[in-house]
Amino acid sequence: MSQTQPTPTAQDSGSKATDKFKNVQVHSDTSKERAFAIYKDVLDALGQIAQKHQVTYDEYRVLKNWLIQIGEYGEWPLWLDVFLEHEIEKINYDRHSYVGTKGSIEGPYYVPNAPKLPAQCEMPMRDQDKAAPALFFQGQVTDLEGNGLGGATVELWHADEEGYYSQFAPGIPEWNLRGTIVTDEEGRYDVKTLRPAPYQIPHDGPTGWFIESYGGHPWRPAHLHLMVKHPGYREITTQLYFKGGDYTDNDVATAVKPELILDLQQESDGSSSVTYNFALDKES
Ligand code: MBD
Ligand code: FE
């Protein structure tokens, strides 16, 4: 018998993402001059947009209401990471001359300090997750010359076969499909997980109303989230996608890069396997 779980809602996942974010200390040493310059440009741009489109009072009140709702639903982490984070990621990548593995957005559902797993491992999962098609994901973390980085950590997190992330939907074990894989002496890892499905961002709240209002869709392509770290090297936050998968060329979050698309080898038993290596730039 399957157990009845409370249905996950946008409000539920949103407020969890907001609560988690509020627990992180955030700080920026932005000068007053720089803050003023940015605020002024934001306000000027908003004013110009209002002028250009001759925004009505009804539209202004709808905007005000929507801003209030997105806060009350806790959906600022969701909306910002879906619609703005990719620009911030690009700016901060292009500012350097990185040549290692490409990054992508973190999204709202990262949780630090996932339990450590050995280089060869299976992701923590429930029996129902084991019924989904398995994905054997292996590779090596190296420096730019290809030398293996032993003891590097590969934090992996992704949605289950129903599209839910542990700690952001009810009834899922805390660290389900989350782990910190520690590479072996040669920097290698070899992990068994499940192949995630295309993912609908929560769309029964204000982020969904926003998308509906312009006739868009709330889908992201199936993806794995990763954070790769080794002392002395640039940390990489990235995502991996699947060649030929739905929405790979039409991601609501605009976070797909060609270098991050996996070409899976399909096995006869329905499982698939792939090798992906991470090359880390030296910390500058
Ligand atoms: C996700 O899983 C995600 O990766 C992003 C960027 C936004 C919402 C949900
Ligand atoms: Fe995600």
Side-chain angles (χ1 to χ4, degrees), residues 24-220:
V24 180
Q25 293 293 325
V26 292
H27 169 77
S28 165
D29 54 11
T30 309
S31 69
K32 282 207 163 65
E33 292 72 25
R34 179 172 159 82
F36 178 71
I38 294 172
Y39 299 162
K40 184 168 179 348
D41 282 353
V42 168
L43 296 173
D44 285 354
L46 285 174
Q48 280 167 25
I49 293 163
Q51 285 288 346
K52 177 179 171 190
H53 296 282
Q54 294 287 292
V55 170
T56 66
Y57 250 104
D58 282 348
E59 287 168 340
Y60 175 70
R61 291 191 191 100
V62 167
L63 170 68
K64 199 192 267 190
N65 181 55
W66 179 78
L67 290 167
I68 291 166
Q69 296 294 330
I70 211 152
E72 288 185 355
Y73 272 70
E75 284 194 14
W76 278 119
L78 176 67
W79 192 90
L80 286 167
D81 292 353
V82 167
F83 292 107
L84 183 60
E85 190 186 356
H86 67 102
E87 294 286 359
I88 308 295
E89 195 275 327
K90 181 171 173 13
I91 292 160
N92 289 281
Y93 182 85
D94 291 349
R95 201 138 43 82
H96 302 91
S97 39
Y98 294 137
V99 295
T101 303
K102 285 267 193 311
S104 186
I105 65 174
E106 179 178 313
Y109 299 149
Y110 171 67
V111 184
N113 305 315
K116 286 209 169 140
L117 300 169
Q120 205 167 44
C121 64
E122 180 172 307
M123 291 296 280
M125 63 173 89
R126 302 159 293 179
D127 287 345
Q128 72 183 76
D129 303 317
K130 288 179 183 162
L135 173 64
F136 295 90
F137 174 68
Q138 58 165 336
Q140 191 181 23
V141 180
T142 70
D143 64 15
L144 294 183
E145 283 77 50
N147 302 303
L149 296 175
T153 54
V154 178
E155 291 173 77
L156 173 63
W157 72 102
H158 63 86
D160 66 18
E161 64 286 355
E162 294 181 303
Y164 297 122
Y165 284 84
S166 59
Q167 303 192 38
F168 297 91
I172 305 176
E174 194 176 15
W175 297 105
N176 206 57
L177 300 172
R178 294 178 183 276
T180 303
I181 303 149
V182 183
T183 63
D184 70 12
E185 314 82 72
E186 298 181 316
R188 293 184 197 279
Y189 60 88
D190 182 356
V191 51
K192 179 183 178 184
T193 189
L194 63 89
R195 185 179 166 178
Y199 175 83
Q200 259 183 310
I201 64 169
H203 58 286
D204 58 320
T207 298
W209 311 334
F210 173 83
I211 292 168
E212 220 170 277
S213 72
Y214 64 81
H217 71 73
W219 290 91
R220 298 212 61 219

